[in-house]
Every structure is written in C-alpha cells, then in structure tokens.
Amino acid sequence: MVKLRLKRCGRKQRATIYRIVAIDVRSRREGRDLRKVGFYDPIKNQTYSNVPVILYFLEKGAQPTGTVHDILSKAEFFKEKISS
C-alpha cells in the first residue's frame, strides 16, 4: 500500500523542511520514496504540491496520513479536486 507522508529534510536537530512523498507503507520515514510530490515548510508556512501527481496517486489508492491531509486541506487541495 502506498501512502502520502512527510519526509524530514534539513539540518540535524532542526527540520526546516518536510517533503511530501509517495512511499510504501513498510518503509521507514527516511526510506526510499516512490516520488516526491511536494514540500512543506512549517517555519515560513509555505506549501508546494504537484497537483497532477498527487491526484494520480490518490486515484491509484494512495492514502494521505493525517498530517499530510491537514496540510493539503489548508492549501485547499480537496476543494480543487471536488470541482474538477
């Protein structure tokens, strides 16, 4: 099963950026991802998401984790998905 979840990036002891990745459920947090689909910067409160790729993985059955779901909801991703 594939999930959309956060992958930590940046310096040690200070995660400045998280990547939103499509990754196998059995992989660890820093494991090899299938595809990078966006990023989230909690300090600057910025989000970038590759909408076509995220839609592709969601159509194939990928499940976003709770945190990724909240981030995408704040970015109004699901409103775009419903209207499309």
Side-chain angles (χ1 to χ4, degrees):
M1 180 179 195
V2 176
K3 283 208 174 217
L4 298 175
R5 66 183 186 195
L6 296 177
K7 184 175 184 179
R8 189 175 160 159
C9 299
R11 297 186 307 200
K12 292 184 202 176
Q13 304 297 320
R14 184 174 177 220
T16 55
I17 290 180
Y18 292 93
R19 284 195 179 138
I20 302 172
V21 296
I23 194 166
D24 188 31
V25 173
R26 296 166 289 185
S27 297
R28 56 195 178 124
R29 181 185 69 192
E30 308 303 331
R32 185 171 181 175
D33 50 58
L34 300 172
R35 180 121 188 223
K36 297 172 183 74
V37 296
F39 76 86
Y40 170 63
D41 186 350
I43 296 172
K44 296 179 183 176
N45 201 16
Q46 291 179 337
T47 304
Y48 169 78
S49 55
N50 190 344
V51 176
V53 176
I54 292 175
L55 285 174
Y56 169 78
F57 279 108
L58 290 175
E59 288 171 0
K60 296 294 181 181
Q63 297 293 317
T65 60
T67 306
V68 171
H69 186 274
D70 292 343
I71 291 169
L72 294 176
S73 296
K74 286 180 186 176
E76 299 181 352
F77 174 79
F78 294 108
K79 288 182 183 177
E80 293 176 14
K81 183 180 172 192
I82 292 171
S83 63
S84 296

